[in-house]
Amino acid sequence: MPDAFVILFFVILLAGLVSWLVPAGTFETKNITTPDGNIKTVLDADSFRYAEESHGFMLFDGTGNKTGIANYAFDGMVSGDKWGAAVGVIAFILIVGGAFGIVMQTGAINNGIMALIKRYQHADNLLLPALFLLFSLGGAVFGMGEEAIAFCIVLVPLMTAMGYNGIMAVLVTYVATQIGFATSWMNPFSVAIAQGIAEVPLMSGQYFRMAIWALFTAFGLIFTLRYAKQLKNSNQVSSLESEAITASTNKLTEPQFSVTDKFILVAFFACICWVMWGVIIHAYYIPQIASQFFCMGILIGAIAWIGKRMCLNDISAAFVSGAQSLLPAALIVGMAKGIVLVLGGDEVTSPSVLNTLLHHTGSALAQTGAVMSAWLMLLFQSIFNFFIASGSGQAAITMPLMAPLSDLVGVTRQVAVLAFQLGDGLTNLIIPTSASLIGCLGVAGVSWTTWVKFIAKFCAGLFTLASLTVITAVLIGFS
């Protein structure tokens, strides 16, 4: 499968061709009064008209006024301001990534989970639900995904010793994180970026999302516990399961859950509450939230330094490493914005090919009604995730189109964000382009084809549940 940057490059070439073939168009905007009395500017769907001068195909622009194909990378990354895409979102990703790099480097989260595993490894009825809920929260709160690979390494021998298999280790780690990731109310690398691009207040709609997180997590937990019961009740492991059992006999390492770990975890959850307080009470946005996470990194780094867990240079290196791990996502955000600029930009009142595409797509979807339009958005995002298996990258590429499209078809932008996060997160459980999934399966000794046979019905159930969730959100006017 080609790398995301390779795909983006060819999409840029396609965008250049489209800008030559399709005439640019413009919309007008209008002010509406929301139910809570606020004035909101939205696109007027009936105001579309073709521009007198088309944006046209451009290989290179030397004036700095337009964006040619050769200019897309730089222009995309420096577009916008600190309040949104692309430069604000890029800075947000790097700063938050650096802060979480410090948190993860302290080892406190790892030690906390290991202590939990050690304490309850002989109590299946407590351990399995606790692990599933814990990893689901990890996916929801800070976008846990790749970290599941490390925990799979630890849990595979434990699950085998308890009479389970490698598949069970993947279920309670990676599957749980992606359910949390898909239904998150505050994931800084997915829903927060999508809301920023769609110009929806960050972490808004969190009560509805918390409810669906509980629903989807319960659905996943029930599936996991039923599978665990099947394994316990079977006298022989089936041929499907036998491939998943690992021959590893490694014993769990003794967890070193110290007082320093406790202080770090208390500080971590206190900072998360501070972020939620700022969003709810003071409507904090990208600049403030990024600064809050930066303060969290400094505070936790200081605790780790006082506890002699890390030296000052270690803290600095952890921040750089955390930001570096998200650099590809930040670059994708900027370059994806460049695609929009090549098409003429995403300003609805300025001539743009994107406006023309939006008009005709909206006209087609409008014939299906708001509910069907929202469901088609979910389907589109689910399919698109196969090609761009990055939450932040997919948000950057699709939300500039989906957000104004939702205005045209009578769907709130909050629903468009919901369709994105469900379509993006849940398909991570099955697509072979997800490096985290393939990594976890490799550790567990499960081939991708075996995994597909096992998880396909569950994924179908999740998609059905996601469809019902999106439909419900449209009917209740989720915003």
Side-chain angles (χ1 to χ4, degrees):
M1 189 66 193
D3 186 79
F5 291 100
V6 175
I7 295 174
L8 274 176
F9 178 76
F10 283 102
V11 171
I12 282 291
L13 297 180
L14 178 62
L17 178 63
V18 170
S19 68
W20 179 57
L21 296 175
V22 179
T26 63
F27 287 98
E28 294 179 2
T29 58
K30 60 182 179 181
N31 293 329
I32 62 171
T33 303
T34 61
D36 55 5
N38 294 323
I39 304 298
K40 182 179 180 180
T41 301
V42 298
L43 178 149
D44 184 356
D46 298 324
S47 64
F48 176 81
R49 67 180 185 278
Y50 290 105
E52 295 182 1
E53 293 183 6
S54 177
H55 179 63
F57 177 84
M58 184 179 298
L59 182 62
F60 177 81
D61 175 59
T63 66
N65 297 324
K66 295 181 179 180
T67 299
I69 292 177
N71 308 105
Y72 84 95
F74 180 83
D75 286 4
M77 289 182 198
V78 300
S79 64
D81 54 31
K82 71 177 183 177
W83 299 99
V87 65
V89 175
I90 291 173
F92 177 84
I93 291 173
L94 295 177
I95 291 174
V96 174
F100 276 104
I102 296 174
V103 175
M104 299 306 295
Q105 188 63 34
T106 64
I109 291 178
N110 176 78
N111 292 342
I113 293 177
M114 288 298 300
L116 180 68
I117 293 172
K118 186 69 176 179
R119 183 172 182 178
Y120 295 107
Q121 62 178 308
H122 298 299
D124 303 28
N125 294 334
L126 291 176
L127 180 62
L128 295 180
L131 285 174
F132 199 96
L133 291 173
L134 188 64
F135 281 103
S136 182
L137 274 174
V141 173
F142 57 91
M144 191 175 187
E146 292 83 358
E147 298 85 354
I149 299 174
F151 288 110
C152 271
I153 297 174
V154 174
L155 285 176
V156 166
L158 171 64
M159 292 297 161
T160 304
M162 294 170 64
Y164 302 123
N165 58 20
I167 286 179
M168 181 60 70
V170 179
L171 284 173
V172 298
T173 54
Y174 182 73
V175 170
T177 62
Q178 295 312 293
I179 288 177
F181 191 98
T183 57
S184 173
W185 57 94
M186 62 171 297
N187 181 355
F189 311 124
S190 175
V191 63
I193 294 175
Q195 287 180 325
I197 294 173
E199 299 181 354
V200 174
L202 264 65
M203 300 187 194
S204 56
Q206 58 183 305
Y207 297 116
F208 182 81
R209 287 185 170 88
M210 287 179 181
I212 66 172
W213 170 81
L215 175 64
F216 279 74
T217 300
F219 183 79
L221 181 57
I222 291 171
F223 175 82
T224 300
L225 294 179
R226 288 182 63 186
Y227 180 62
K229 187 177 180 181
Q230 279 182 343
L231 292 179
K232 283 291 188 179
N233 292 340
S234 63
N235 295 324
Q236 269 188 329
V237 181
S238 69
S239 58
L240 171 67
E241 295 153 356
S242 62
E243 185 180 344
I245 292 184
T246 177
S248 173
T249 57
N250 295 334
K251 294 183 179 180
L252 289 174
T253 56
E254 193 73 28
Q256 302 295 325
F257 191 61
S258 64
V259 174
T260 300
D261 292 315
K262 294 179 182 178
F263 276 112
I264 288 174
L265 291 179
V266 168
F268 173 75
F269 287 110
C271 288
I272 294 299
C273 291
W274 179 37
V275 171
M276 296 180 68
W277 171 83
V279 170
I280 297 171
I281 304 300
H282 296 290
Y284 285 173
Y285 202 50
I286 288 176
Q288 295 87 357
I289 295 173
S291 299
Q292 285 178 305
F293 280 119
F294 182 70
C295 291
M296 179 192 73
I298 293 175
L299 174 61
I300 290 178
I303 296 173
W305 176 70
I306 294 171
K308 299 182 179 179
R309 181 69 58 82
M310 302 170 69
C311 68
L312 295 180
N313 284 346
D314 290 337
I315 297 171
S316 175
F319 182 86
V320 172
S321 178
Q324 187 178 18
S325 67
L326 289 177
L327 180 60
L331 290 173
I332 287 174
V333 168
M335 292 184 179
K337 181 67 173 181
I339 296 173
V340 176
L341 296 179
V342 168
L343 291 172
D346 56 1
E347 177 58 53
V348 295
T349 57
S350 299
S352 171
V353 173
L354 195 62
N355 289 333
T356 303
L357 298 176
L358 185 63
H359 167 68
H360 291 291
T361 303
S363 298
L365 286 182
Q367 306 301 319
T368 63
V371 171
M372 180 58 71
S373 297
W375 184 81
L376 289 174
M377 288 181 183
L378 171 66
L379 180 63
F380 168 79
Q381 297 285 10
S382 299
I383 296 173
F384 194 82
N385 191 44
F386 178 88
F387 302 99
I388 304 292
S390 162
S392 53
Q394 185 170 340
I397 293 173
T398 63
M399 290 313 298
L401 175 64
M402 291 294 128
L405 179 60
S406 65
D407 296 336
L408 286 177
V409 300
V411 173
T412 67
R413 293 194 172 197
Q414 195 74 265
V415 171
V417 173
L418 181 66
F420 151 74
Q421 66 180 113
L422 290 174
D424 164 60
L426 297 178
T427 48
N428 286 333
L429 299 179
I430 198 169
I431 57 173
T433 50
S434 170
S436 300
L437 171 61
I438 300 303
C440 286
L441 293 179
V443 167
V446 184
S447 69
W448 181 73
T449 53
T450 298
W451 176 253
V452 170
K453 293 176 185 177
F454 170 78
I455 206 69
K457 290 183 179 179
F458 176 65
C459 287
L462 284 176
F463 185 78
T464 301
L465 200 57
S467 299
L468 294 175
T469 300
V470 169
I471 292 171
T472 301
V474 174
L475 295 178
I476 66 174
F478 178 49
S479 62

